Amino acid sequence: MNTTQNLNQNVTINLNQTRNSNTAVNNRTQNKQQLMKKIYESGFAVYDTALFLDTHPCDKEALAFYQKMNRLYNQAAEEYSALYGPLRMTQFDNDQYWSWSEGPWPWEMGAC
């Protein structure tokens, strides 16, 4: 193989690696946004259903829906925290220093 062929092959390999890296970053961003959407939707359902239950405390169907949405919300929030950092102060766990407010905040990442 001559020098030109080696150079072309190296450029092609580097371009492919860059594309793969960009794809991984895009997938991670998309997954983060999808997870935030799930948190927003299930969180809304939890609070809206809680308001309904305030005036209809014996509605078993509403209570079951509340419990289901609450589980989904908590699971999504825990998954987000494990992957991207805490959403709530109660998820912060560091005994060395207070880093809860170190950014970026979820809404600063274009998730909203």
Side-chain angles (χ1 to χ4, degrees):
M1 217 185 259
N2 65 33
T3 305
T4 303
Q5 288 174 327
N6 282 338
L7 182 60
N8 286 338
Q9 185 178 16
N10 288 340
V11 168
T12 301
I13 290 170
N14 288 339
L15 285 173
N16 287 336
Q17 289 172 343
T18 300
R19 284 186 192 120
N20 290 341
S21 177
N22 288 342
T23 300
V25 168
N26 289 340
N27 287 342
R28 180 176 163 88
T29 300
Q30 186 177 19
N31 290 340
K32 186 175 185 179
Q33 290 172 343
Q34 288 172 343
L35 192 51
M36 279 304 299
K37 183 178 183 212
K38 186 176 182 180
I39 290 167
Y40 291 144
E41 290 173 350
S42 59
F44 176 82
V46 166
Y47 288 107
D48 195 49
T49 307
L51 291 173
F52 179 82
L53 286 167
D54 285 344
T55 58
H56 301 81
C58 297
D59 190 321
K60 292 182 185 204
E61 188 176 332
L63 184 58
F65 181 75
Y66 170 84
Q67 291 168 338
K68 176 184 175 184
M69 290 296 106
N70 196 37
R71 277 191 304 274
L72 287 174
Y73 173 79
N74 287 323
Q75 288 170 352
E78 290 300 319
E79 183 179 346
Y80 184 96
S81 293
L83 293 171
Y84 308 110
L87 282 172
R88 301 174 281 191
M89 283 191 289
T90 57
Q91 295 171 319
F92 173 77
D93 187 20
N94 186 334
D95 60 355
Q96 301 300 313
Y97 64 97
W98 185 253
S99 64
W100 153 252
S101 61
E102 290 180 3
W105 294 94
W107 55 87
E108 294 174 327
M109 298 300 294
C112 295

